[in-house]
């Protein structure tokens, strides 16, 4: 008999597969294909669209909005603000990925302005990005974190307090800071850091789970649980980052209740 | 002895492999890599280019033009019009993919204007997109169809009558509406809907076949036959959408006459 | 006992894995994902960024700059010039991929202007591109070469003489033209030409090796050696271009000293 799944992740996976929620992504060029594929494999219906002219209409048919600044420039940022405004008006969950915050002032300032204007439902980043967002001085390695995830828990708590957003810091342990108790998820595999865009995929999955789970801290935890579990199952079959990426999509597609309840490693 | 291949698909595949026609794609960010790889695996020579400054020159070295509005915005749309104008002047086949038509007025209006100005040789879309293009009211799921392909045959026939374009509606059964008899292709596999961009790949392959087959309805049917056959062969070896995508390219590269004649399922 | 590795490639691979140099790429939409994955698999830390506002800051944290004009347009070209200027001021290696030079005057003129302004440390292209850059009349097949690599050695030598840049012509045999003796590398596999972006990947890898090897001709040769060796190892396990691409990343990640010394085929 499978152990109790305290995050209710399996019910959420089933809901995504049944409803196929439309997830509107304004994301970066590097990961558009792989995050669309991850959302499809999970059972959601991804849309990638960035033209200012259609932001209101695309948001209107979506169940969640995912904004990722990985390859930002001004016209895209303008559309991000516009989409977020419409999503907020419709009460849609907004998930933000501050890719590379701290690496350049342009990124840091843009993402801070986005956060201030949109108060995202969930912000998911690595430790460097969350610390940069909080105003901490960080040395970054471009878009890769130079800090361990536990070192960003204080910044995450400060951000949550000031914004009300759920803050998810991903790393060897993932931390989810919301209204309640700090959630720690200890799934995943080091090989995942050698595949580009798995952090962005985690953010996109936060959007899918937020579309079916009303509590955003719970939704973020479900997404990180599925990422970590699917990642470690894929890594077990992989010979390197190429095969990992391929198996990851297969595992997402075939994920069972038993996979989740047997593998989920919460706290402490 | 292989059965008769009534669409002459194998001869067309051989022609593509021998001639390596240059296919100029103005397509979306999600699928650029995967459609380029599919064209290469088939034997064609893909070019992805969108700068207005080089549209005339790039069209001049191409054997077909493929336009896909998946992640459209104004500068790209401008280049699409320009490339189509030059392609029409040179008598090149133009293949159009109205990704997400019906999802937003911006998409629907842009694609209608493109169609009116360029009278594409072939238009390939899912049922929702073809119905939206025809002016039918549709409810869409973003870029995924909410209608079955047979429900769009009437719209396809109306579009063909008014434009002269070959209309290809893809779905569980693919319908090709041209001057002659309605062609139905019953190949493919449901898992293909869980890989992003296989519809866009079908459109790109229409371009490759149109570059070597003068009858555009025949070319579209050949492309859909190869898509469906390669897709079901890949699905037979796949454990999910990740492996399907990988095997799909291998199968395209290794496709034999026997694969086509034994597997092709035409009408009724 | 492994044979002597005259290019010192293994030491450079180890240095990349240990240091994880940040490689700043301004590259094309087709290959962003696959080149980021190749750099990660090798051990480097890729950044893809193109906004003019952050070029100076991104270059400041990078160990090499890679510029690839595959899907160029004016705003991107502006950022390429800006990034190259900052990289030159910081003494960073600049690697340029003149994708499709010769295919359209816009490409040829843009890349010539880039070369004149930035004097790249390394230029890597196929034969058609290098010949076009040198001013030779070439007939191109879009972004694929219509010439054999040995036919471009003269153009490469002329370019090296006028610019001082190391010129790397890739093809069945790769030629590296620098200050010293002409280096020929005879690794690789024909199936690699059926995967999009492996040329662009070679260029990105030149950036990673230039970040750890001070002699740019040596760095380019190391990159081409690793590309060719990993490509032929992946091809040996592949059933087509789909599996080749996946195995290629695994092989890069797992590459050993023994793989290099046993397989490297230099000259004559």
């Amino acid at each position: 008999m499978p152990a109790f799944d305290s995050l209710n992740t399996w019910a959420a996976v089933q809901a995504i597969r049944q409803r196929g929620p439309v997830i509107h992504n304004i994301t970066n060029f590097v990961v558009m294909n792989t995050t669309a594929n991850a959302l499809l494999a999970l059972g959601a219906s991804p849309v990638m669209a960035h033209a200012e002219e259609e932001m209101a209409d695309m948001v209107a048919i979506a169940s969640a909005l995912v904004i990722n600044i990985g390859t930002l420039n001004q016209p895209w940022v303008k559309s991000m603000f516009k989409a977020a405004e419409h999503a907020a008006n419709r009460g849609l969950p907004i998930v933000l990925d501050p890719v590379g915050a701290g690496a350049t002032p342009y990124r840091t300032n843009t993402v801070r302005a986005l956060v201030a204007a949109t108060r995202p439902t969930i912000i998911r980043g690595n430790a460097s990005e969350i610390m940069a967002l909080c105003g901490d001085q960080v040395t970054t390695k471009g878009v890769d974190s130079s800090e361990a995830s536990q070192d960003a828990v204080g910044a995450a708590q400060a951000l949550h307090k000031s914004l009300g957003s759920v803050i998810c810091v991903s790393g060897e342990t993932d931390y989810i800071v919301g209204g309640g108790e700090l959630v720690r998820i200890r799934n995943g595999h080091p090989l995942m850091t050698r595949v580009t865009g798995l952090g962005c995929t985690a953010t996109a999955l936060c959007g899918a789970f937020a579309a079916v789970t009303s509590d955003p801290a719970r939704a973020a935890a479900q997404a990180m649980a599925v990422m970590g579990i699917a990642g470690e199952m894929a890594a077990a079959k992989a010979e390197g980052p190429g095969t990992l990426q391929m198996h990851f999509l297969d595992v997402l597609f075939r994920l069972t209740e038993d996979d989740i309840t047997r593998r989920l490693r919460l706290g402490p």
Side-chain angles (χ1 to χ4, degrees), chain A residues 57-81:
Chain A
D57 299 308
M58 204 56 101
V59 164
I61 58 170
S63 298
L65 172 66
V66 175
I67 295 176
N68 176 308
I69 65 155
T71 53
L72 80 176
N73 68 7
Q74 279 316 97
W76 284 66
V77 169
K78 211 171 157 194
S79 289
M80 290 173 190
F81 274 95

Side-chain angles (χ1 to χ4, degrees), chain A residues 18 51 76 114 124 127 145 151 155 218 241 248-249:
Chain A
Q18 280 156 22
W76 284 66
L114 265 168
R124 191 223 59 88
S145 184
D151 297 335
R218 171 67 56 97
F248 178 77
L249 294 172

Side-chain angles (χ1 to χ4, degrees), chain A residues 196-235:
Chain A
T196 195
L198 284 184
C200 304
T201 299
T203 305
L205 263 48
C206 285
F209 281 97
V212 300
T213 298
S214 54
D215 173 359
R218 171 67 56 97
Q222 290 165 343
M224 298 316 292
V226 165
M227 278 302 299
I229 290 168
E232 65 191 43
M233 289 174 70

Side-chain angles (χ1 to χ4, degrees), chain A residues 144-145 170-172 188-199 241 244:
Chain A
D144 297 324
S145 184
S170 61
E172 197 180 324
H189 191 279
L191 190 55
M192 296 172 76
T193 64
R194 293 287 121 196
V195 177
T196 195
L198 284 184
L244 181 116

Side-chain angles (χ1 to χ4, degrees), chain A residues 1-22:
Chain A
M1 208 181 80
F4 179 59
D5 165 14
S6 60
L7 298 174
N8 226 16
T9 307
W10 175 243
V13 169
Q14 284 179 300
I16 293 169
R17 288 180 181 169
Q18 280 156 22
R19 295 184 218 164
V22 173

